[in-house]
Amino acid sequence: MTAALLFAALLWGSAPLAGSVASGESIFRSGQSARGAPIDATVGPGDTVPATLLPCINCHGADGRGRSEGGVRPADIRPSVLARPLRDERRERPAYDAARLRRAITMGFDVAGRPLDTAMPRYGLSQADADDLLAYLAVLEQRQEPGVSSDHLRIGVIGAALTPPLAPVYGRRIEIVSRRDDDLLLLIDASADGSASLAAARSDGLPTIVFAAADAAPGESGFVITASAADQERVLASVAAADDTALLLRQDCSAALTATAARTLLMRDSVAARCALEQLPWPAGQRIRIALAAPPDAVVRAQVAEAGLGLVVELLQQAGHELTRERLLAQLQRVQQRRLGPLPPISWTAQRRHGLDQVWMLGLARKDGRLQPEPGWLAVP
């Protein structure tokens, strides 16, 4: 009998699980009930917030082992651990049963009736939601980590065709697939705009690296290689502040039609896309400077994606044999000053999810009746 089945037998005897495992997984991972009712989480003496801010997975991890953070060591809530008495240097308790596990989650008392650590929220679960969460916890150890098997690790790459030879990671070969699906350890999106991939990552927790994203936020599972749209705006504002003859265009090019005194027109790539640049007046000496996340070249994106894939393989080696999405995310948050292909070095942290601190400025000037590019990197102020 597996640990999960043993736990189910100890908690519910021979009766079937009353709750929905899928709904319980939603509560565990996101703090959201599939039934639609909001769930509250109370911390300390009475501070109540939405459970979406404090889902179980944040502290206990996807595998339920508990992840130490800020001096707090959350309990190991795997079925094989809860189903047996525990005695260690920190605590001693009997085995849990269904009623006492429900009480711990909703009221904050352990199996022996003692208050749990104040860092453990008390969740306002309905009877049905509590059943769902217990059903999911009962099978937690049976849940295979997506994209991880005994002989391979599965990574998705879209927006570029990559088939480089990759060294095995702890005896597992790297399998590259050209699509996004549920059975992936990580996704790399090398398209010009990875906003859709970031949106999907926010809902399903798949670690996702995108080359660029127009205005989408990376979220908890997303990492963007290039600078943010806000950083592009900062660079443009800095250039405009240093040039009295510059005109910063934020919406379209209508103001440029009569701004013949402006020596430099500044805009983001999204504004330039709405302009007919060839039809502007272009008085003598005028030029346009366009802020982009990176050179608009599919070859560059493919080179960066291939270098990013090599970086991921290194991080998987560093994460250890027991590979999980959670461990990979922790490694991605520690990337510092790493070059990917022709780009300047990138850095990521838990708070910083845009790697580059430089913006590609494309200068355009009309010479001999043609637009001549004058590109280069500018640091974000």
Side-chain angles (χ1 to χ4, degrees):
M1 180 178 289
T2 66
L5 292 177
L6 172 63
F7 181 57
L10 287 172
L11 292 188
W12 291 278
S14 59
L17 299 179
S20 160
V21 170
S23 180
E25 182 173 11
S26 174
I27 296 170
F28 183 87
R29 290 182 172 274
S30 67
Q32 293 180 307
S33 169
R35 304 171 190 280
I39 299 173
D40 291 333
T42 302
V43 183
D47 296 326
T48 300
V49 299
T52 52
L53 299 178
L54 297 171
C56 310
I57 196 172
N58 279 12
C59 294
H60 296 286
D63 57 6
R65 293 173 181 268
R67 180 179 59 194
S68 296
E69 186 174 349
V72 177
R73 182 181 167 190
D76 188 332
I77 58 171
R78 289 176 296 164
S80 58
V81 175
L82 293 177
R84 67 173 186 263
L86 175 67
R87 174 182 291 179
D88 61 19
E89 70 280 3
R90 296 187 303 137
R91 63 170 72 94
E92 178 179 354
R93 61 153 177 80
Y96 271 94
D97 60 21
R100 288 176 175 82
L101 182 56
R102 187 190 303 268
R103 182 180 67 176
I105 295 169
T106 60
M107 300 178 65
F109 295 99
D110 72 7
V111 66
R114 296 182 297 258
L116 294 172
D117 191 290
T118 55
M120 169 65 186
R122 300 180 298 283
Y123 294 96
L125 299 172
S126 68
Q127 179 77 27
D129 283 338
D131 287 343
D132 292 345
L133 182 56
L134 291 182
Y136 178 69
L137 292 178
V139 301
L140 185 60
E141 284 175 287
Q142 287 183 319
R143 309 292 282 187
Q144 182 174 334
E145 188 68 19
V148 178
S149 77
S150 60
D151 62 358
H152 73 269
L153 303 173
R154 202 157 175 266
I155 294 174
V157 178
I158 58 178
L162 300 185
T163 55
L166 298 170
V169 176
Y170 293 100
R172 300 171 171 128
R173 61 182 171 83
I174 305 294
E175 178 185 344
I176 305 297
V177 297
S178 57
R179 63 185 181 277
R180 179 192 182 95
D181 61 41
D182 293 336
D183 189 25
L184 292 179
L185 180 59
L186 173 125
L187 177 75
I188 297 176
D189 185 342
S191 62
D193 184 1
S195 297
S197 291
L198 290 182
R202 286 196 295 274
S203 64
D204 64 18
L206 172 62
T208 298
I209 299 173
V210 305
F211 180 80
D215 294 299
E220 294 294 325
S221 301
F223 296 83
V224 185
I225 291 171
T226 52
S228 67
D231 283 338
Q232 294 175 43
E233 294 283 358
R234 291 187 186 97
V235 169
L236 289 172
S238 176
V239 173
D243 184 354
D244 292 338
T245 70
L247 174 63
L248 178 54
L249 304 173
R250 297 187 181 278
Q251 299 297 328
D252 54 40
C253 288
S254 57
L257 296 175
T258 56
T260 56
R263 297 296 85 191
T264 304
L265 301 179
L266 303 171
M267 65 189 78
R268 273 188 60 198
D269 53 346
S270 58
V271 176
R274 295 191 287 270
C275 297
L277 300 181
E278 290 279 5
Q279 298 176 14
L280 294 179
W282 290 93
Q286 188 181 74
R287 65 173 179 163
I288 294 176
R289 302 188 74 184
I290 304 171
L292 301 96
D297 188 333
V299 174
V300 170
R301 296 200 305 273
Q303 291 172 339
V304 172
E306 184 167 349
L309 183 57
L311 169 62
V312 168
V313 173
E314 291 181 26
L315 298 179
L316 291 173
Q317 293 281 7
Q318 296 168 16
H321 185 271
E322 298 299 324
L323 288 173
T324 64
R325 288 179 173 181
E326 184 180 8
R327 290 191 178 189
L328 179 55
L329 284 172
Q331 292 295 327
L332 287 167
Q333 292 172 5
R334 300 189 184 105
V335 170
Q336 290 295 309
Q337 293 298 298
R338 178 63 182 256
R339 278 192 174 274
L340 298 181
L343 300 186
I346 70 165
S347 296
W348 287 318
T349 68
Q351 291 75 37
R352 168 182 167 161
R353 297 303 183 95
H354 286 269
L356 283 184
D357 58 4
Q358 298 188 50
V359 168
W360 182 254
M361 290 292 288
L362 178 61
L364 295 175
R366 186 186 287 274
K367 297 178 182 178
D368 301 325
R370 295 179 297 174
L371 297 183
Q372 300 292 329
E374 300 170 351
W377 292 102
L378 275 185
V380 178

